[in-house]
Amino acid sequence: MDVEKKKEITVDDILLDLGPFGKFHSLNYILILFPVLLAGMYSSVYNFEAMDLKYRCTVPECEDPAVVNFSIPHVDGEPSKCRRYAPFANVTLNDTCSEHFYDTSTEIKCDSYVYFEEHSIVKEFNLGCQDWKRSLVGTVHNAGFFISIPLTGLLSDRYGRRIAVVFASVANGVFGVIRAFSLNYEMFIVLEFLEPALGGGVYTACFVLAMELAGPKGRVFVSLLFNTMFILGGVSVTSLSWWLQSWRHLLLIIYTPAILVFFYIWSLTESFRWFFSKGRYEDGINVLKRCEKFNKVSVPKDHYDQVEKQAMQQRDAVKFESLEANSSSFKQTFCSGLIWKRLFICSFLWTSSTLVYYGLSINAIELSGNAYMNYIVVILIEAPANVCKLFCLDRFGRKKVIGTAFVLTGIILIAYGFIPGGYWSTTFYLGGKFFITLAYNSLYIFAAEVFPTNYRTTLLAICSTLGRVGSTLAPQTPLLSKLYEFLPTILFGVMSGLSGLIVMTLPETNNQKLPDSLKEARAQDRKNTNKNTTDNKTRL
C-alpha cells in the first residue's frame, strides 16, 4: 500500500486512463489531419503548375502544318521544340511554303511557339524552351521552408500549437488562392515563395500538437496516420491535375479549403502540455477533464492535483536549469568537436535524403509514359516503406537500417542507368524511392537521439534547415538529363552511397537512453566503440 501511495502519477498515466482513441482524440485527429492532407497536396502541386507541355517552333514564313516536316528539325520523330531551319536569304516571299525555301544545314533559335497543351504556366506565361524558369518554380517553393521552419517553431512555442496550425494553414490558403490569379511569371514566382515561407510549417505544427495530445500507446499509430494522409494528399493533387487540366482551377480547388482552418481557433483543442509550459495549469487540466468527459471515463481527482504539482515543479526546474546552463552548457556544447561532427554528419544525411527523395519524385514526371501515373506510383511506394520503418527500426537498430537503406538506394540508382527501359527499369526506379523513403523517415528519429536534450530542438532545427538545401536543389536536377539522360539518378546514387558509409560513424541509439548532456553524448560514442571492439574480438 505504501509503495502505491508513493508512486508518482504523471500526465502519461492520465492519458493511459483516458485511452488512445476515444471520441475526444478522434475528433481532434480528424481536425488535425485535414491540414496534413492539404500539406501533402501543396508539397507536390508545383510539379504540375510548371509541367512541361507539347509544343514546337512557330514558322512565321508559313504555318501550314505540312511545312513542319522540312522547316523544323525532328528529334525522335517529333518536331524540335527550340530550333528551326533558317530560310534562304535569296528566295522570294512567294516560295515560303516550299521545301526549297529552308536551309536544312542551318538551324536557328525559335522566336515563338505553337502550344498543343495549355494546362500549366508554360503556355500562360510563354515559357517555351526556358526550362530554367520551370525548374525555378520548385526551387523557390522549397526555399520558402528556410523561413517557415523557424517561424512556425517561434509561433508554436510563444502563442500555442493551435495558433501555429491556424496561421500556417490560412497563409497557405490566402497566398495559394491569390497565386491562381497571377498576371505574369514574376507575380507567380513571388507568390510561389511567400506561400511556403509563411505556411510551410503546417505539417510540423500539426505533428507536434497531435503527439502532445496522444497517449504513449497512440503515438506510433498517429505517426503512421500522418504519413498516410501526406501520401494521400500527393495522390489527390496529381489526380485532380490530371482531371482538371488547368493549373488555375487546380490552385483554387486545393487552396480554398485551407482558409476554412481559421475556424479551428474555436474548434481545435490546444495542447495541455503547452499550457503547462506557460504556467497555465488550470487551462491544461481543463483540457484533460474535457477529454475525460468526452471519452466517458473516470480519472481520480487527486491524479490531476499530482500532475499540476509536477508540472509546476518541472517548469521551475527548467527555468533554474536554463539560467544556470546558459553560460556553461551552451559554450561546452557548441565548442565540442563531438557535437560539430554529429551536426555535420546529420546535416549531410538530411541534405542527401531530401535531394534524392524529392529528386526522384520530380524526375518521375520526366520519365516515359503517363506523367501523372508515374508520379502517383512513385508516391504510393512510400506507404510500404513507412510500414517497413515501424517494424525494422526497433528490431535491427537505427544505424543498420538507415545505412543499409542508403547503400541499397545508391546501388539501385547507379545500376538504373545500365538497365534497358521497361519493367525492370521501372522496378529499379521504384526500389530507389522505397529505400530512400525508408532512410529519410528513419533519419527523423535517429537524428533526435544523437543530440543532448538541452539543445536537441536547436540542433535538429539546424539539421532540418540545412537539409532543405537538398530539396531546394532537387527541382534543378531534371536539367542534368539534358547533358546525359541518367545523370540525375547517378548523382542520387552517389550521394546515397556516401551517406550509407557516413552514417556508420554515428553511435547506435536503439534501446538507449536519450543523452541529456554532452557527457552522456560522449558516453554514447565510447559505448559504441567498445561494442565494435567486442564484436571484432568475437569474430576473431
Side-chain angles (χ1 to χ4, degrees):
M1 293 291 290
D2 291 337
V3 175
E4 287 181 9
K5 285 182 181 179
K6 288 180 181 178
K7 183 187 175 185
E8 195 175 65
I9 299 297
T10 67
V11 71
D12 281 345
D13 294 320
I14 291 180
L15 290 174
L16 287 172
D17 292 335
L18 294 173
F21 298 106
K23 186 179 178 182
F24 179 85
H25 292 93
S26 298
L27 288 173
N28 278 287
Y29 291 154
I30 289 170
L31 291 174
I32 292 170
L33 288 171
F34 177 62
V36 173
L37 173 71
L38 295 178
M41 293 185 182
Y42 305 156
S43 71
S44 295
V45 69
Y46 65 83
N47 292 301
F48 306 106
E49 291 173 310
M51 199 173 187
D52 201 10
L53 302 178
K54 291 179 181 179
Y55 57 88
R56 64 164 174 82
C57 267
T58 300
V59 182
E61 294 81 7
C62 181
E63 261 306 302
D64 184 345
V67 177
V68 169
N69 292 327
F70 47 80
S71 62
I72 298 177
H74 283 56
V75 180
D76 296 328
E78 295 292 330
S80 172
K81 287 185 171 183
C82 305
R83 311 285 294 181
R84 70 185 184 93
Y85 293 130
F88 284 111
N90 57 350
V91 177
T92 61
L93 191 63
N94 295 332
D95 299 318
T96 57
C97 288
S98 167
E99 62 181 299
H100 303 295
F101 183 79
Y102 302 95
D103 181 2
T104 56
S105 64
T106 306
E107 295 182 8
I108 58 174
K109 286 184 179 179
C110 303
D111 296 319
S112 58
Y113 310 92
V114 176
Y115 293 95
F116 303 114
E117 297 173 311
E118 52 183 39
H119 53 79
S120 84
I121 64 170
V122 173
K123 180 182 185 297
E124 193 93 19
F125 303 137
N126 195 26
L127 304 182
C129 294
Q130 299 182 76
D131 286 340
W132 69 272
K133 283 191 175 182
R134 290 197 309 110
S135 299
L136 187 63
V137 173
T139 295
V140 164
H141 179 92
N142 286 311
F145 287 92
F146 285 106
I147 295 174
S148 65
I149 291 172
L151 176 63
T152 305
L154 179 68
L155 289 174
S156 181
D157 290 339
R158 180 167 294 184
Y159 300 107
R161 317 313 192 203
R162 179 173 54 195
I163 292 295
V165 170
V166 170
F167 174 83
S169 291
V170 172
N172 277 330
V174 169
F175 287 104
V177 168
I178 295 174
R179 191 162 85 245
F181 296 98
S182 295
L183 301 177
N184 51 50
Y185 179 77
E186 289 72 24
M187 178 181 176
F188 176 88
I189 210 74
V190 168
L191 291 168
E192 186 71 53
F193 174 78
L194 289 176
E195 182 243 313
L198 296 176
V202 67
Y203 183 94
T204 304
C206 288
F207 189 79
V208 170
L209 178 56
M211 288 294 105
E212 291 184 344
L213 289 176
K217 290 185 177 179
R219 287 171 193 151
V220 172
F221 184 71
V222 169
S223 174
L224 188 59
L225 279 178
F226 266 66
N227 291 332
T228 303
M229 291 303 287
F230 196 79
I231 292 169
L232 186 59
V235 172
S236 299
V237 74
T238 308
S239 303
L240 279 171
S241 178
W242 192 359
W243 176 51
L244 293 169
Q245 294 292 299
S246 167
W247 68 274
R248 291 187 188 273
H249 292 158
L250 177 66
L251 294 188
L252 287 172
I253 287 174
I254 67 173
Y255 281 104
T256 302
I259 300 173
L260 301 177
V261 175
F262 176 75
F263 296 102
Y264 278 24
I265 291 176
W266 298 281
S267 56
L268 183 63
T269 300
E270 180 57 270
S271 166
F272 59 86
R273 294 180 190 273
W274 181 79
F275 280 134
F276 287 162
S277 72
K278 295 299 178 183
R280 296 168 61 179
Y281 308 111
E282 188 176 343
D283 289 331
I285 294 297
N286 285 339
V287 171
L288 293 171
K289 287 182 176 178
R290 202 180 326 134
C291 178
E292 177 188 354
K293 183 179 178 181
F294 264 78
N295 290 355
K296 296 180 180 179
V297 294
S298 179
V299 177
K301 186 181 180 301
D302 66 303
H303 286 195
Y304 291 122
D305 296 335
Q306 287 187 56
V307 165
E308 183 175 351
K309 183 180 177 183
Q310 187 187 71
M312 292 173 68
Q313 292 172 344
Q314 223 170 31
R315 188 164 185 265
D316 292 339
V318 168
K319 278 185 178 179
F320 177 76
E321 285 174 11
S322 62
L323 288 172
E324 189 181 56
N326 271 344
S327 58
S328 58
S329 179
F330 182 86
K331 187 177 178 181
Q332 285 180 10
T333 299
F334 284 91
C335 289
S336 165
L338 174 73
I339 294 300
W340 279 106
K341 171 194 162 188
R342 293 188 183 182
L343 186 62
F344 171 78
I345 291 172
C346 288
S347 297
F348 179 83
L349 296 176
W350 221 298
T351 301
S352 178
S353 297
T354 55
L355 174 67
V356 181
Y357 175 84
Y358 287 104
L360 286 175
S361 295
I362 293 165
N363 281 272
I365 293 177
E366 308 292 332
L367 297 176
S368 59
N370 186 299
Y372 299 102
M373 281 303 302
N374 289 342
Y375 197 81
I376 288 173
V377 172
V378 166
I379 289 177
L380 287 177
I381 200 67
E382 295 178 23
N386 288 324
V387 174
C388 183
K389 175 193 73 173
L390 296 178
F391 288 105
C392 291
L393 282 183
D394 290 333
R395 184 170 183 180
F396 300 109
R398 286 27 170 173
K399 199 161 71 168
K400 285 182 182 177
V401 171
I402 296 173
T404 302
F406 270 129
V407 170
L408 287 174
T409 302
I411 293 171
I412 288 170
L413 292 180
I414 291 173
Y416 172 78
F418 301 95
I419 296 171
Y423 172 79
W424 283 109
S425 175
T426 304
T427 301
F428 267 62
Y429 197 91
L430 294 177
K433 185 62 187 296
F434 174 91
F435 285 112
I436 196 59
T437 301
L438 175 59
Y440 183 30
N441 289 344
S442 301
L443 189 61
Y444 272 92
I445 299 170
F446 189 42
E449 295 173 337
V450 297
F451 293 123
T453 300
N454 288 358
Y455 297 102
R456 181 173 293 123
T457 303
T458 302
L459 292 167
L460 278 176
I462 293 172
C463 285
S464 179
T465 303
L466 291 175
R468 281 289 165 183
V469 171
S471 60
T472 302
L473 294 176
Q476 300 297 326
T477 56
L479 298 177
L480 295 176
S481 61
K482 306 291 183 185
L483 302 175
Y484 174 59
E485 183 182 358
F486 300 110
L487 192 54
T489 49
I490 290 174
L491 171 65
F492 300 153
V494 170
M495 289 292 288
S496 299
L498 283 173
S499 300
L501 297 175
I502 291 173
V503 75
M504 301 312 288
T505 62
L506 292 173
E508 179 56 74
T509 59
N510 188 31
N511 295 323
Q512 303 294 321
K513 178 183 178 295
L514 290 179
D516 290 320
S517 63
L518 182 59
K519 183 180 177 182
E520 290 184 6
R522 285 176 179 147
Q524 271 186 330
D525 262 11
R526 285 196 298 271
K527 188 171 183 179
N528 193 58
T529 303
N530 293 337
K531 184 179 184 300
N532 289 339
T533 304
T534 304
D535 289 346
N536 290 335
K537 287 180 178 178
T538 303
R539 290 191 194 99
L540 291 171

